[in-house]
Amino acid sequence: MTNNQDELERFRDMEDLRQFCTQYGCDGIEYMRIPGEADIPKDMIQGVHLSSFQNWMDLWLGNKKRLLEEFGSMEIVEQFYGGTSPGSLIEKFTKELDYAQEIGAKYVVFHVCEVKIKEAFTYKFDYSDQQVIIEAARIINHLLDGKKYTFDFLMENLWWPGLNFLDPAMPRLLLDSVNYKNKGFMLDTGHLLNTNLNLKNQDEAVAYINEILDRNEGISTYIKGIHLHQSITGEFVKSSRNHIPKLKEDYWERWCQIFEYIFQVDRHQPFTGKGLSRLIERISPQYLTHELITRNRQEQEAFLRLQTDALRDSH
């Protein structure tokens, strides 16, 4: 959850939210905080999801030419990141990490990926998995070295360059490059399914995740968390790649275009495939988060009911 007013308005008050969590067997909230909005009480927050900049490499590496190609002006770069130097990233993430420590969060989540707006449509990327992972490790070490944080630092997979679990050498490289003791992975099941455009149904989806786990056997003990949902949209993606829309001139209009597209690719629907409960038992995570996109409380309840029932199913 965020503390966006639209989400909070689903609940009468914080006690109603507490009871809602309890009803579905949840200990609390994984929180993506919007500064300036009313906060969720800290005792309800289990984890903190850090800000997600999907395209940060050019700022981090000081590549002004590519920044201008993507954003159009340095004024928009400053609006987007809160600054125009690599230090802008460090400052923002440090504030969020300090907040997570202050409230006693058990874990934080950090996306390890890189994609520009056009690349998300074309799947033609400027950076490789290895390049993104090397730089992600550099920024993570910059943020964590010498600090006395106690939370687990969980690195999340996406389907773009970076951490995607397709090449077992890459998550191993990430683990070996990050110095922080309490490091691990947040396995996002829907994001992983987005790496296979040929999946047809949820039973195939469960089998595919097991296949990826087999391939990454050496690092499986580092999967400390799961974002649970499913997205089987390969046919849509294949079709979309043949009909790429004309991108708007204005950056913020392009930003709206890509978000509309991403939510059609990454749908965050309930995961109910056969063998799901055995899959979760196989991973045995410390943290399991229902990460579902819903339009209202009624849909949120319906989706949670479907997914929690599937977790209880022993077949």
Side-chain angles (χ1 to χ4, degrees):
M1 276 188 66
T2 73
N3 52 336
N4 180 289
Q5 195 59 34
D6 289 341
E7 285 194 75
L8 293 180
E9 283 178 352
R10 297 182 183 187
F11 306 96
R12 292 187 300 276
D13 50 32
M14 289 303 165
E15 186 56 35
D16 186 28
L17 176 57
R18 287 180 201 277
Q19 292 177 6
F20 183 83
C21 288
T22 303
Q23 180 181 351
Y24 291 98
C26 298
D27 298 311
I29 303 296
E30 182 181 307
Y31 189 35
M32 197 168 194
R33 186 185 187 220
I34 302 170
E37 300 285 340
D39 267 318
I40 291 174
K42 64 181 182 180
D43 65 296
M44 296 181 66
I45 300 169
Q46 299 290 310
V48 170
H49 198 305
L50 303 178
S51 291
S52 176
F53 294 118
Q54 312 295 22
N55 55 326
W56 53 274
M57 289 275 286
D58 294 330
L59 182 67
W60 177 245
L61 296 173
N63 193 325
K64 186 174 180 180
K65 179 176 181 292
R66 281 183 171 168
L67 280 171
L68 289 173
E69 288 172 355
E70 178 72 3
F71 292 96
S73 73
M74 295 307 289
E75 288 76 18
I76 295 178
V77 170
E78 183 164 11
Q79 291 170 22
F80 190 80
Y81 297 107
T84 58
S85 70
S88 308
L89 295 172
I90 297 297
E91 182 179 353
K92 184 168 185 61
F93 286 132
T94 297
K95 286 179 180 177
E96 294 177 352
L97 291 167
D98 288 348
Y99 169 76
Q101 180 68 23
E102 177 191 332
I103 65 169
K106 295 176 182 176
Y107 67 93
V108 300
V109 181
F110 181 84
H111 280 176
V112 179
C113 79
E114 164 69 22
V115 66
K116 297 180 176 69
I117 289 176
K118 186 176 181 181
E119 293 174 348
F121 288 107
T122 65
Y123 281 57
K124 296 176 182 177
F125 306 107
D126 281 341
Y127 296 104
S128 67
D129 290 345
Q130 184 170 353
Q131 288 173 307
V132 176
I133 281 172
I134 288 170
E135 296 306 324
R138 283 182 60 210
I139 196 170
I140 291 166
N141 287 334
H142 196 104
L143 290 167
L144 302 181
D145 282 358
K147 300 293 179 64
K148 295 182 179 180
Y149 296 136
T150 55
F151 44 67
D152 286 325
F153 188 90
L154 305 185
M155 299 167 284
E156 181 179 349
N157 60 297
L158 283 99
W159 62 99
W160 297 307
L163 177 64
N164 50 46
F165 292 113
L166 296 181
D167 177 357
M170 293 299 102
R172 172 50 63 187
L173 173 63
L174 183 58
L175 283 174
D176 290 345
S177 301
V178 169
N179 301 328
Y180 189 66
K181 179 183 176 182
N182 299 322
K183 59 192 170 186
F185 297 122
M186 175 63 79
L187 174 63
D188 188 296
T189 54
H191 294 169
L192 188 56
L193 299 179
N194 290 337
T195 65
N196 186 340
L197 303 184
N198 298 315
L199 295 173
K200 298 293 190 294
N201 57 59
Q202 292 201 43
D203 293 349
E204 288 184 7
V206 173
Y208 177 64
I209 295 174
N210 275 303
E211 177 189 325
I212 295 294
L213 291 173
D214 291 343
R215 197 185 302 174
N216 288 274
E217 187 175 11
I219 55 89
S220 58
T221 56
Y222 284 92
I223 300 175
K224 297 183 180 181
I226 295 176
H227 280 170
L228 190 62
H229 61 103
Q230 61 85 11
S231 182
I232 301 172
T233 55
E235 291 304 316
F236 169 77
V237 173
K238 286 188 277 190
S239 173
S240 298
R241 284 164 70 174
N242 294 322
H243 303 90
I244 296 171
K246 180 175 174 58
L247 295 177
K248 303 288 188 180
E249 291 293 324
D250 177 77
Y251 175 76
W252 296 112
E253 291 182 1
R254 290 198 304 278
W255 189 83
C256 291
Q257 280 182 287
I258 191 59
F259 262 80
E260 182 180 342
Y261 171 73
I262 287 172
F263 285 132
Q264 292 180 77
V265 174
D266 190 31
R267 298 188 62 204
H268 291 254
Q269 298 285 296
F271 204 165
T272 59
K274 185 178 180 181
L276 178 66
S277 60
R278 290 196 302 274
L279 171 64
I280 302 302
E281 287 169 6
R282 173 184 179 175
I283 299 169
S284 190
Q286 292 172 241
Y287 316 107
L288 190 146
T289 304
H290 298 283
E291 193 174 75
L292 303 164
I293 294 178
T294 56
R295 293 167 292 188
N296 51 53
R297 179 163 175 165
Q298 291 71 31
E299 189 171 64
Q300 190 173 9
E301 292 202 46
F303 281 14
L304 276 168
R305 192 175 300 114
L306 283 169
Q307 195 156 269
T308 51
D309 285 350
L311 289 172
R312 295 189 186 102
D313 186 0
S314 61
H315 300 293

Coordinates of all heavy atoms in Angstrom, one line a residue, residues 214-270:
D214 N 15.0 -23.9 -10.3 CA 15.9 -25.0 -10.6 C 17.2 -24.4 -11.2 O 18.3 -24.8 -10.8 CB 15.3 -26.0 -11.6 CG 14.2 -26.8 -11.0 OD1 14.1 -26.8 -9.7 OD2 13.4 -27.4 -11.7
R215 N 17.0 -23.5 -12.1 CA 18.2 -22.9 -12.8 C 19.0 -22.0 -11.9 O 20.2 -21.9 -12.1 CB 17.6 -22.0 -14.0 CG 18.7 -21.6 -15.0 CD 18.1 -20.7 -16.0 NE 16.9 -21.2 -16.7 CZ 16.1 -20.4 -17.5 NH1 16.4 -19.2 -17.8 NH2 15.1 -21.0 -18.1
N216 N 18.4 -21.4 -10.9 CA 19.1 -20.6 -9.9 C 19.3 -21.2 -8.5 O 19.3 -20.5 -7.5 CB 18.3 -19.3 -9.8 CG 18.4 -18.4 -11.0 OD1 19.3 -17.6 -11.1 ND2 17.4 -18.5 -11.9
E217 N 19.5 -22.5 -8.5 CA 19.5 -23.3 -7.3 C 20.5 -22.7 -6.3 O 20.2 -22.7 -5.1 CB 19.8 -24.7 -7.6 CG 19.6 -25.6 -6.4 CD 19.8 -27.1 -6.7 OE1 20.3 -27.4 -7.9 OE2 19.5 -27.9 -5.9
G218 N 21.6 -22.2 -6.7 CA 22.6 -21.8 -5.8 C 22.3 -20.6 -5.0 O 22.9 -20.3 -3.9
I219 N 21.3 -19.8 -5.4 CA 21.0 -18.6 -4.7 C 19.6 -18.6 -4.1 O 19.2 -17.6 -3.5 CB 21.2 -17.3 -5.6 CG1 20.3 -17.4 -6.9 CG2 22.6 -17.1 -6.0 CD1 18.9 -16.9 -6.8
S220 N 19.0 -19.7 -4.1 CA 17.6 -19.8 -3.7 C 17.4 -19.4 -2.2 O 16.4 -18.9 -1.8 CB 17.0 -21.2 -4.0 OG 17.7 -22.2 -3.3
T221 N 18.4 -19.7 -1.4 CA 18.3 -19.4 0.0 C 18.3 -17.9 0.3 O 17.9 -17.5 1.4 CB 19.4 -20.1 0.8 OG1 20.7 -19.6 0.3 CG2 19.3 -21.6 0.8
Y222 N 18.7 -17.1 -0.7 CA 18.7 -15.7 -0.5 C 17.3 -15.1 -0.9 O 17.1 -13.9 -0.8 CB 19.8 -15.0 -1.4 CG 21.1 -15.2 -0.8 CD1 21.9 -16.3 -1.1 CD2 21.6 -14.3 0.1 CE1 23.2 -16.4 -0.5 CE2 22.9 -14.4 0.7 CZ 23.7 -15.5 0.4 OH 24.9 -15.6 0.9
I223 N 16.4 -15.9 -1.4 CA 15.0 -15.3 -1.7 C 14.3 -15.3 -0.4 O 13.7 -16.2 0.1 CB 14.3 -16.2 -2.7 CG1 15.1 -16.3 -4.0 CG2 12.9 -15.7 -3.0 CD1 14.5 -17.2 -5.1
K224 N 14.3 -14.1 0.2 CA 13.7 -13.9 1.6 C 12.3 -13.4 1.5 O 11.6 -13.4 2.5 CB 14.6 -12.9 2.4 CG 16.0 -13.4 2.7 CD 16.8 -12.4 3.5 CE 18.2 -12.9 3.8 NZ 18.9 -12.0 4.7
G225 N 11.9 -12.9 0.3 CA 10.6 -12.3 0.2 C 9.9 -12.7 -1.1 O 10.7 -13.0 -2.1
I226 N 8.6 -12.6 -1.2 CA 7.9 -12.8 -2.4 C 6.8 -11.7 -2.6 O 6.1 -11.5 -1.6 CB 7.2 -14.2 -2.4 CG1 8.2 -15.3 -2.5 CG2 6.3 -14.3 -3.7 CD1 7.6 -16.7 -2.4
H227 N 6.8 -11.1 -3.7 CA 5.6 -10.3 -4.1 C 4.7 -11.2 -4.9 O 5.1 -11.6 -6.1 CB 6.1 -9.1 -5.0 CG 6.6 -8.0 -4.2 ND1 7.2 -6.9 -4.8 CD2 6.6 -7.7 -2.8 CE1 7.6 -6.0 -3.8 NE2 7.2 -6.5 -2.7
L228 N 3.6 -11.6 -4.4 CA 2.8 -12.6 -5.0 C 1.6 -12.0 -5.9 O 0.8 -11.3 -5.4 CB 2.2 -13.5 -3.9 CG 1.5 -14.8 -4.4 CD1 2.4 -15.7 -5.2 CD2 0.8 -15.5 -3.3
H229 N 1.7 -12.3 -7.1 CA 0.6 -12.0 -8.1 C 1.0 -12.6 -9.4 O 2.0 -13.3 -9.5 CB 0.5 -10.4 -8.3 CG 1.7 -9.8 -8.8 ND1 1.9 -9.4 -10.1 CD2 2.9 -9.5 -8.2 CE1 3.1 -8.8 -10.3 NE2 3.7 -8.9 -9.1
Q230 N 0.1 -12.5 -10.4 CA 0.4 -13.2 -11.7 C 0.0 -12.2 -12.8 O -0.9 -11.4 -12.7 CB -0.2 -14.5 -11.9 CG -1.8 -14.5 -11.8 CD -2.5 -14.2 -13.1 OE1 -1.8 -14.2 -14.2 NE2 -3.8 -14.0 -13.1
S231 N 0.8 -12.4 -13.9 CA 0.5 -11.6 -15.1 C 0.9 -12.4 -16.3 O 2.1 -12.7 -16.5 CB 1.3 -10.3 -15.1 OG 1.1 -9.5 -16.2
I232 N -0.1 -12.9 -17.1 CA 0.2 -13.7 -18.3 C -0.3 -12.9 -19.5 O -1.5 -13.0 -19.9 CB -0.5 -15.1 -18.1 CG1 0.0 -15.8 -16.9 CG2 -0.3 -15.9 -19.4 CD1 -0.8 -17.0 -16.6
T233 N 0.6 -12.1 -20.0 CA 0.3 -11.1 -21.0 C 1.2 -11.2 -22.2 O 1.3 -10.2 -23.0 CB 0.3 -9.7 -20.4 OG1 1.6 -9.5 -19.9 CG2 -0.8 -9.5 -19.4
G234 N 1.8 -12.4 -22.5 CA 2.7 -12.5 -23.6 C 2.2 -12.2 -24.9 O 2.8 -11.6 -25.8
E235 N 0.9 -12.6 -25.2 CA 0.3 -12.4 -26.5 C 0.1 -10.9 -26.7 O 0.3 -10.4 -27.8 CB -1.0 -13.1 -26.6 CG -0.9 -14.6 -26.7 CD 0.0 -15.1 -27.9 OE1 -0.1 -14.5 -29.0 OE2 0.9 -16.0 -27.6
F236 N -0.3 -10.2 -25.6 CA -0.4 -8.7 -25.7 C 0.9 -8.1 -26.0 O 1.0 -7.2 -26.9 CB -1.0 -8.2 -24.4 CG -1.0 -6.7 -24.3 CD1 -1.9 -5.9 -25.0 CD2 0.0 -6.0 -23.6 CE1 -1.9 -4.5 -24.9 CE2 0.1 -4.7 -23.5 CZ -0.9 -3.9 -24.2
V237 N 2.0 -8.5 -25.3 CA 3.3 -7.9 -25.6 C 3.8 -8.1 -27.0 O 4.3 -7.2 -27.6 CB 4.3 -8.4 -24.5 CG1 5.7 -7.9 -24.9 CG2 3.9 -8.0 -23.1
K238 N 3.6 -9.4 -27.5 CA 4.1 -9.7 -28.8 C 3.3 -8.9 -29.9 O 3.9 -8.4 -30.8 CB 3.9 -11.2 -29.1 CG 5.0 -12.0 -28.4 CD 4.9 -13.5 -28.8 CE 3.9 -14.3 -28.0 NZ 4.0 -15.7 -28.3
S239 N 2.0 -8.7 -29.6 CA 1.2 -7.9 -30.5 C 1.7 -6.4 -30.5 O 1.8 -5.7 -31.5 CB -0.2 -8.0 -30.2 OG -1.0 -7.1 -31.0
S240 N 1.9 -5.9 -29.2 CA 2.2 -4.5 -29.0 C 3.6 -4.2 -29.7 O 3.8 -3.0 -30.2 CB 2.3 -4.2 -27.5 OG 1.1 -4.4 -26.9
R241 N 4.5 -5.1 -29.7 CA 5.8 -4.8 -30.3 C 5.7 -4.6 -31.8 O 6.6 -4.0 -32.4 CB 6.8 -6.0 -29.9 CG 7.3 -5.9 -28.5 CD 7.9 -7.1 -28.0 NE 9.2 -7.4 -28.6 CZ 10.0 -8.4 -28.2 NH1 9.6 -9.2 -27.2 NH2 11.1 -8.6 -28.8
N242 N 4.6 -5.1 -32.4 CA 4.4 -4.9 -33.8 C 3.6 -3.6 -34.1 O 3.4 -3.2 -35.3 CB 3.7 -6.1 -34.4 CG 4.6 -7.3 -34.4 OD1 5.8 -7.2 -34.6 ND2 4.0 -8.5 -34.2
H243 N 3.1 -3.0 -33.0 CA 2.3 -1.8 -33.2 C 2.7 -0.8 -32.1 O 1.8 -0.3 -31.3 CB 0.8 -2.1 -33.1 CG 0.3 -3.2 -34.0 ND1 0.3 -4.5 -33.8 CD2 -0.2 -3.1 -35.3 CE1 -0.1 -5.2 -34.8 NE2 -0.4 -4.3 -35.7
I244 N 3.9 -0.3 -32.2 CA 4.4 0.6 -31.2 C 3.8 2.0 -31.4 O 3.8 2.5 -32.5 CB 6.0 0.7 -31.2 CG1 6.6 -0.6 -30.9 CG2 6.5 1.8 -30.3 CD1 8.1 -0.7 -31.1
P245 N 3.2 2.6 -30.4 CA 2.5 3.8 -30.6 C 3.5 5.0 -30.8 O 4.7 4.9 -30.5 CB 1.8 4.1 -29.2 CG 2.6 3.3 -28.2 CD 3.1 2.1 -29.0
K246 N 3.0 6.0 -31.5 CA 3.8 7.2 -31.7 C 3.9 7.9 -30.3 O 2.9 8.2 -29.7 CB 3.1 8.1 -32.7 CG 3.9 9.4 -32.9 CD 3.3 10.3 -34.0 CE 4.0 11.6 -34.2 NZ 5.4 11.5 -34.4
L247 N 5.1 8.1 -29.8 CA 5.3 8.7 -28.5 C 5.2 10.2 -28.5 O 5.5 10.9 -29.5 CB 6.7 8.3 -28.0 CG 7.0 6.8 -27.7 CD1 8.4 6.6 -27.3 CD2 6.0 6.3 -26.7
K248 N 4.6 10.7 -27.5 CA 4.3 12.2 -27.4 C 5.6 12.9 -27.3 O 6.6 12.4 -26.8 CB 3.4 12.4 -26.2 CG 2.1 11.7 -26.1 CD 1.1 12.2 -27.2 CE -0.3 11.6 -27.0 NZ -1.2 12.1 -27.9
E249 N 5.5 14.2 -27.7 CA 6.7 15.0 -27.6 C 7.0 15.4 -26.2 O 8.2 15.4 -25.7 CB 6.5 16.3 -28.4 CG 6.5 16.1 -29.9 CD 7.8 15.7 -30.5 OE1 8.9 16.2 -30.0 OE2 7.9 14.8 -31.4
D250 N 6.0 15.7 -25.4 CA 6.2 16.2 -24.0 C 6.5 14.9 -23.1 O 5.9 13.9 -23.2 CB 4.9 16.8 -23.5 CG 5.0 17.2 -22.0 OD1 5.6 18.2 -21.7 OD2 4.4 16.4 -21.2
Y251 N 7.6 15.1 -22.3 CA 8.0 13.9 -21.5 C 6.9 13.4 -20.6 O 6.7 12.2 -20.5 CB 9.2 14.3 -20.6 CG 9.6 13.2 -19.7 CD1 10.2 12.0 -20.2 CD2 9.1 13.1 -18.3 CE1 10.5 10.9 -19.4 CE2 9.4 12.0 -17.5 CZ 10.1 10.9 -18.1 OH 10.3 9.8 -17.3
W252 N 6.2 14.3 -19.9 CA 5.2 13.8 -18.9 C 4.0 13.1 -19.6 O 3.4 12.2 -19.1 CB 4.7 14.9 -18.1 CG 5.8 15.5 -17.2 CD1 6.4 16.7 -17.3 CD2 6.4 14.8 -16.1 NE1 7.3 16.8 -16.3 CE2 7.4 15.7 -15.6 CE3 6.3 13.5 -15.6 CZ2 8.2 15.3 -14.5 CZ3 7.1 13.2 -14.5 CH2 8.1 14.1 -14.0
E253 N 3.7 13.5 -20.9 CA 2.7 12.8 -21.7 C 3.2 11.4 -22.1 O 2.5 10.4 -22.1 CB 2.3 13.6 -22.9 CG 1.5 14.9 -22.6 CD 1.1 15.6 -23.8 OE1 1.4 15.2 -24.9 OE2 0.5 16.7 -23.7
R254 N 4.5 11.3 -22.4 CA 5.1 10.0 -22.7 C 5.1 9.1 -21.4 O 4.9 7.9 -21.5 CB 6.6 10.2 -23.2 CG 6.7 10.8 -24.5 CD 8.1 10.5 -25.1 NE 9.2 10.9 -24.3 CZ 9.7 12.2 -24.3 NH1 9.1 13.1 -25.0 NH2 10.7 12.5 -23.5
W255 N 5.4 9.7 -20.3 CA 5.3 9.0 -19.0 C 4.0 8.4 -18.8 O 3.9 7.2 -18.3 CB 5.7 10.0 -17.9 CG 6.0 9.4 -16.6 CD1 7.1 8.8 -16.1 CD2 5.0 9.4 -15.5 NE1 7.0 8.4 -14.8 CE2 5.7 8.7 -14.4 CE3 3.7 9.8 -15.3 CZ2 5.1 8.5 -13.2 CZ3 3.1 9.6 -14.1 CH2 3.8 8.9 -13.0
C256 N 2.9 9.2 -19.1 CA 1.6 8.6 -19.0 C 1.3 7.5 -19.9 O 0.7 6.4 -19.6 CB 0.5 9.7 -19.2 SG 0.5 10.9 -17.9
Q257 N 1.9 7.6 -21.2 CA 1.7 6.5 -22.2 C 2.4 5.2 -21.7 O 1.8 4.2 -21.8 CB 2.4 6.9 -23.5 CG 1.6 7.9 -24.4 CD 2.4 8.2 -25.6 OE1 3.4 8.9 -25.6 NE2 2.0 7.6 -26.7
I258 N 3.6 5.3 -21.1 CA 4.3 4.1 -20.7 C 3.6 3.5 -19.5 O 3.5 2.3 -19.4 CB 5.8 4.4 -20.4 CG1 6.5 3.0 -20.3 CG2 6.0 5.2 -19.2 CD1 6.4 2.1 -21.4
F259 N 3.1 4.3 -18.6 CA 2.4 3.7 -17.4 C 1.1 3.0 -17.8 O 0.8 1.9 -17.3 CB 2.2 4.7 -16.3 CG 3.2 4.7 -15.3 CD1 4.5 5.3 -15.5 CD2 3.0 4.0 -14.1 CE1 5.5 5.3 -14.5 CE2 4.0 4.0 -13.1 CZ 5.2 4.6 -13.3
E260 N 0.4 3.6 -18.7 CA -0.8 2.9 -19.2 C -0.4 1.5 -19.9 O -1.1 0.5 -19.6 CB -1.5 3.8 -20.3 CG -2.8 3.2 -20.8 CD -3.5 4.1 -21.8 OE1 -3.1 5.3 -21.9 OE2 -4.3 3.6 -22.6
Y261 N 0.7 1.5 -20.6 CA 1.1 0.3 -21.2 C 1.6 -0.7 -20.2 O 1.2 -1.9 -20.3 CB 2.2 0.6 -22.2 CG 2.9 -0.6 -22.8 CD1 2.3 -1.4 -23.8 CD2 4.2 -0.9 -22.4 CE1 2.9 -2.5 -24.3 CE2 4.9 -2.0 -22.9 CZ 4.2 -2.8 -23.9 OH 4.9 -3.9 -24.4
I262 N 2.4 -0.3 -19.3 CA 3.0 -1.2 -18.3 C 1.9 -1.9 -17.5 O 2.0 -3.1 -17.2 CB 4.0 -0.5 -17.4 CG1 5.3 -0.2 -18.1 CG2 4.3 -1.3 -16.1 CD1 6.3 0.7 -17.4
F263 N 0.9 -1.2 -17.1 CA -0.2 -1.8 -16.3 C -1.0 -2.8 -17.1 O -1.7 -3.6 -16.5 CB -1.1 -0.7 -15.7 CG -0.5 0.0 -14.5 CD1 -0.5 1.4 -14.4 CD2 0.1 -0.7 -13.5 CE1 0.1 2.1 -13.4 CE2 0.7 -0.1 -12.4 CZ 0.7 1.3 -12.4
Q264 N -0.9 -2.7 -18.4 CA -1.5 -3.8 -19.3 C -0.6 -5.0 -19.4 O -1.1 -6.1 -19.6 CB -1.8 -3.2 -20.7 CG -2.9 -2.2 -20.7 CD -3.2 -1.7 -22.1 OE1 -3.8 -2.3 -22.9 NE2 -2.6 -0.5 -22.4
V265 N 0.7 -4.8 -19.2 CA 1.7 -5.9 -19.3 C 1.7 -6.5 -17.9 O 1.7 -7.8 -17.8 CB 3.1 -5.4 -19.7 CG1 4.1 -6.5 -19.6 CG2 3.0 -4.8 -21.1
D266 N 1.9 -5.7 -16.9 CA 2.1 -6.2 -15.5 C 0.9 -6.0 -14.7 O 0.7 -5.0 -14.0 CB 3.3 -5.4 -14.9 CG 3.8 -5.9 -13.6 OD1 3.7 -7.1 -13.4 OD2 4.3 -5.1 -12.8
R267 N -0.1 -7.0 -14.7 CA -1.4 -6.7 -14.3 C -1.7 -6.9 -12.8 O -2.7 -6.5 -12.3 CB -2.4 -7.6 -15.2 CG -2.3 -7.2 -16.7 CD -3.4 -7.9 -17.5 NE -4.7 -7.5 -17.0 CZ -5.8 -8.3 -17.2 NH1 -5.7 -9.5 -17.7 NH2 -6.9 -7.8 -16.8
H268 N -0.8 -7.6 -12.1 CA -1.0 -7.8 -10.7 C -2.4 -8.5 -10.4 O -3.1 -7.9 -9.5 CB -0.8 -6.5 -9.9 CG 0.6 -6.0 -10.0 ND1 1.4 -6.1 -8.9 CD2 1.3 -5.5 -11.0 CE1 2.6 -5.6 -9.2 NE2 2.6 -5.2 -10.5
Q269 N -2.6 -9.6 -11.0 CA -3.9 -10.3 -10.8 C -3.6 -11.4 -9.8 O -2.5 -11.8 -9.5 CB -4.3 -10.9 -12.1 CG -4.7 -9.9 -13.2 CD -6.0 -9.2 -13.0 OE1 -7.0 -9.8 -13.0 NE2 -5.9 -7.9 -12.7
P270 N -4.7 -12.0 -9.2 CA -4.5 -13.1 -8.2 C -3.9 -14.3 -8.8 O -4.2 -14.7 -9.9 CB -6.0 -13.4 -7.7 CG -6.8 -12.2 -8.1 CD -6.1 -11.6 -9.3

